[in-house]
Amino acid sequence: MFATIVIVLPSLFTGGAVHLSHGSTSAIYDCGKMSDCHTSVMAWYTDVMHEVKPITSGYRLALSYNVIHTTNSLRLA
């Protein structure tokens, strides 16, 4: 596995912000603000630290994928 992709489907919820950090860079993504009518997509490499905060109301419908490398060809650096 070298990356994660998360697709958040339209569903009404609050909370659940995703905190990402890598080295000195950090970001917070809050998909709950427009969750009832938008699809959100997030992706990060495995060396990115992440924390998903609890949902405070409603339900989050999300698809989470582990991205793996399955061939013997050269990998991108």
Side-chain angles (χ1 to χ4, degrees):
M1 181 175 103
F2 69 91
T4 299
I5 299 173
V6 178
I7 302 169
V8 180
L9 302 172
S11 54
L12 188 57
F13 68 90
T14 57
V18 178
H19 295 237
L20 302 170
S21 64
H22 185 264
S24 63
T25 304
S26 63
I28 298 173
Y29 296 97
D30 185 359
C31 299
K33 294 178 182 176
M34 300 291 284
S35 63
D36 60 337
C37 59
H38 286 87
T39 298
S40 300
V41 178
M42 296 175 281
W44 56 85
Y45 290 110
T46 55
D47 62 344
V48 173
M49 299 296 295
H50 67 281
E51 179 183 5
V52 181
K53 298 294 185 176
I55 299 294
T56 54
S57 69
Y59 296 93
R60 175 173 45 208
L61 300 175
L63 304 170
S64 180
Y65 297 93
N66 293 330
V67 183
I68 60 173
H69 189 269
T70 60
T71 67
N72 292 329
S73 62
L74 294 176
R75 297 174 85 176
L76 297 174

